[in-house]
Amino acid sequence: MSENCVFCQIIHHQAPAYVVTEDEHIIVFLSKENHPLVVPKQHIPTIYSLDDVTGAHIMRAAREIARAVKLGLECEGIYLTQANESAAGQEVFHFHLHIYPRWRAVDFRSQQTAHHISKADKQETLQKITASLYREQ
């Protein structure tokens, strides 16, 4: 655990989060912008130090979460993104994979902008995704 890492604090339940799911390898929670992040429980700063086993756990979870997001939020597509280092836009130096729901009519730049998301909106997103997580598609 990195003491200054907000994701490590979430993993160790020292900071609040809207947790979609977790197991011994990964945790998935909603970002400030209200889309899921798939995060390894091991503190791995960037993709460069990501091992194959952890990478496989992340991608397996990403596939499951992407399916649940598509079904639960009834979006038209899914966009995955992951940044490494400041030049690429990485702000939290703990590897994480963004899973964005996408709709043709919604401007993606505005969707990526951190604006106030109400607790009710977060709870609704969480409920829709978790309800669809293990439902047949």
Side-chain angles (χ1 to χ4, degrees):
M1 175 175 162
S2 176
E3 291 182 23
N4 296 328
C5 175
V6 67
F7 288 179
C8 286
Q9 293 170 4
I10 290 170
I11 290 163
H12 294 310
H13 305 285
Q14 297 169 343
Y18 291 85
V19 176
V20 176
T21 189
E22 69 179 302
D23 63 24
E24 62 272 16
H25 305 285
I26 59 97
I27 186 169
V28 179
F29 55 87
L30 298 180
S31 70
K32 292 185 294 185
E33 298 84 12
N34 205 25
H35 63 270
L37 300 176
V38 180
V39 181
K41 286 193 169 178
Q42 179 183 358
H43 183 80
I44 300 171
T46 62
I47 198 168
Y48 313 121
S49 51
L50 182 65
D51 63 274
D52 292 346
V53 172
T54 304
H57 287 293
I58 290 166
M59 289 310 295
R60 187 175 304 112
R63 181 189 65 219
E64 292 170 0
I65 296 300
R67 288 175 177 162
V69 167
K70 178 142 176 68
L71 185 63
L73 301 182
E74 299 178 352
C75 58
E76 297 172 283
I78 298 290
Y79 179 74
L80 303 179
T81 188
Q82 194 276 319
N84 297 280
E85 300 176 286
S86 297
Q90 186 177 9
E91 295 177 0
V92 178
F93 290 86
H94 186 127
F95 181 94
H96 56 287
L97 183 64
H98 296 257
I99 302 180
Y100 289 99
R102 295 289 293 123
W103 296 269
R104 287 183 184 95
V106 177
D107 176 59
F108 188 55
R109 287 197 204 303
S110 69
Q111 189 179 357
Q112 289 180 296
T113 304
H115 57 281
H116 178 72
I117 306 291
S118 72
K119 289 181 180 183
D121 286 344
K122 288 260 194 177
Q123 195 61 44
E124 180 181 5
T125 299
L126 180 67
Q127 187 276 326
K128 286 179 177 181
I129 294 170
T130 55
S132 299
L133 192 52
Y134 301 108
R135 199 165 77 191
E136 288 297 318
Q137 299 173 29

